[in-house]
Amino acid sequence: AAKAAGKGTYRFFAPDMHEQARVRQQIEEDMQRALERGEFHVAYQPVVHTVSGALTGVEALVRWTHPTRGAVSPAIFIPVAEEAGLIAEIGEWVLRTACMEAAKWPAPISVAVNISPIQFAHQALPSLVASALAYAGLPADRLELEITEGALLNETAKTRAAIDTLKGLGVKIALDDFGTGYSSLSYLKSIPFDKIKIDQSFIKGATLPGNNNAPIIKAIVGLAADLGMITTAEGVETDDQLALVRSLGCTLIQGYIYGRPLDPQSALERSRQSSAQAVGHRRER
Ligand code: C2E
Ligand code: MG
Ligand code: MG
Ligand code: MG
């Protein structure tokens, strides 16, 4: 039975289809109560400039601590939330929480929020974003929305209008997990992204022998530059990977080598530290 998988795990890949459906049902029911009970929180992972190592922003990542199962990965519960019609509510909560948190950090440190394709398809997204910014008192240019190709699969005039409205507010738009979807290049042609996040699957093997990752990363960086977009290398963990993405010219780095996702207090301290350092540098000159 699923329970036999023990605390902290949802036995998601149960061989039995019926069992699988039951576990999913359970996650769904538990999630419905999770918001009211305050079981969600947001973690903030540092994003730094590749050359200087200075903190430029953080990515907001939702966390769920289940009362009996412990931490449940967003990779598991976000897809369930999307199918169960709960993602709009969870996503709005994350957006509002992240904006309020980011308003405490010194400028120009920004916050990036993941937006599900389902939220993106909803025509109220721009007004929701405007409301979250106004309530938090966060300038629009310090918010970035991360969208995946999934949000653009059925790119319509509506999607394009939503992006234009969001950009009109001053919000930045990043294309997340680049390279893992179907036909990324066609989106680059039509959508004015500010940033491309190179998926961690390209970084992972890049420094090992026998793969083509480095030339692919290099090509993405060059393409982005020609299109006036910056790049973030996701999932940088080792010194070798850091040296490689530096040499290939990625603008920004996000990965365990510079920090795991932090609780709000630690993120606040980190942002203040980095701001103090920046002031120090200016004084030295
Ligand atoms: P993502 O948006 O691509 O976020 C980056 C993921 O990579 C995060 O996993 C982060 O903890 C992980 N990561 C960062 N650096 C490293 C590294 O050096 N090594 C390794 N192994 N992993 C690294 P996380 O927090 O588990 O989130 C997984 C995915 O869940 C996210 O991928 C995103 O697609 C989704 N997600 C998380 N929070 C939200 C949210 O608030 N809304 C929506 N719609 N999706 C979310
Ligand atoms: Mg992301
Ligand atoms: Mg990503
Ligand atoms: Mg991802």
Side-chain angles (χ1 to χ4, degrees):
K3 281 211 177 108
K7 194 172 143 93
T9 59
Y10 277 107
R11 189 160 162 208
F12 210 59
F13 300 103
D16 178 348
M17 292 282 288
H18 179 75
E19 181 67 7
Q20 219 172 58
R22 209 190 60 77
V23 171
R24 209 184 165 82
Q25 180 70 35
Q26 190 63 54
I27 299 180
E28 204 180 305
E29 280 170 22
D30 291 353
M31 224 170 0
Q32 259 153 0
R33 274 162 295 193
L35 263 178
E36 300 160 22
R37 295 185 182 175
E39 293 169 12
F40 288 113
H41 58 111
V42 181
Y44 300 91
Q45 187 179 27
V47 178
V48 308
H49 196 266
T50 307
V51 177
S52 67
L55 186 77
T56 61
V58 304
E59 179 174 6
L61 296 158
V62 69
R63 295 290 177 258
W64 180 17
T65 310
H66 187 284
T68 58
R69 294 172 193 274
V72 184
S73 165
I76 288 181
F77 72 80
I78 292 287
V80 179
E82 285 172 338
E83 282 180 32
L86 295 168
I87 192 65
E89 211 183 330
I90 297 171
E92 176 172 353
W93 180 84
V94 173
L95 175 69
R96 291 187 179 280
T97 304
C99 287
M100 281 171 21
E101 209 51 52
K104 301 176 189 168
W105 307 334
I109 293 169
S110 62
V111 70
V113 177
N114 292 284
I115 302 292
S116 158
I118 291 168
Q119 289 174 273
F120 208 81
H122 201 280
Q123 64 184 30
L125 183 66
S127 57
L128 179 67
V129 168
S131 150
L133 288 168
Y135 186 82
L138 183 70
D141 62 0
R142 288 175 56 200
L143 175 66
E144 183 170 282
L145 303 180
E146 297 193 0
I147 62 178
T148 55
E149 289 168 46
L152 307 167
L153 265 185
N154 303 307
E155 198 212 328
T156 58
K158 272 188 190 163
T159 316
R160 189 52 214 257
I163 290 177
D164 289 345
T165 310
L166 288 164
K167 291 211 65 165
L169 292 174
V171 169
K172 305 230 164 60
I173 310 282
L175 182 56
D176 201 359
D177 302 343
F178 184 78
T180 58
Y182 302 96
S183 57
S184 322
L185 292 179
S186 64
Y187 305 126
L188 292 185
K189 192 176 67 175
S190 58
I191 299 180
F193 295 106
D194 296 283
K195 177 187 287 180
I196 295 174
K197 299 189 77 175
I198 304 171
D199 191 69
Q200 51 177 282
S201 57
F202 291 99
I203 314 300
K204 283 264 157 337
T207 52
L208 305 174
N211 67 77
N212 296 322
N213 293 15
I216 294 173
I217 296 169
K218 189 177 173 191
I220 298 172
V221 169
L223 180 64
D226 288 347
L227 292 167
M229 303 171 189
I230 63 172
T231 45
T232 303
E234 293 192 296
V236 177
E237 293 182 354
T238 68
D239 289 331
D240 285 356
Q241 290 167 349
L242 179 61
L244 180 73
V245 299
R246 270 192 183 137
S247 75
L248 296 176
C250 288
T251 327
L252 304 173
I253 287 174
Q254 182 178 351
Y256 293 169
I257 194 164
Y258 274 110
R260 296 195 173 235
L262 303 169
D263 61 76
Q265 184 58 35
S266 306
L268 178 63
E269 282 160 20
R270 178 86 180 246
S271 72
R272 285 180 176 159
Q273 255 168 31
S274 93
S275 159
Q277 275 162 7
V279 170
H281 285 312
R282 279 197 293 276
R283 289 210 183 107
E284 277 161 32
R285 259 189 255 135

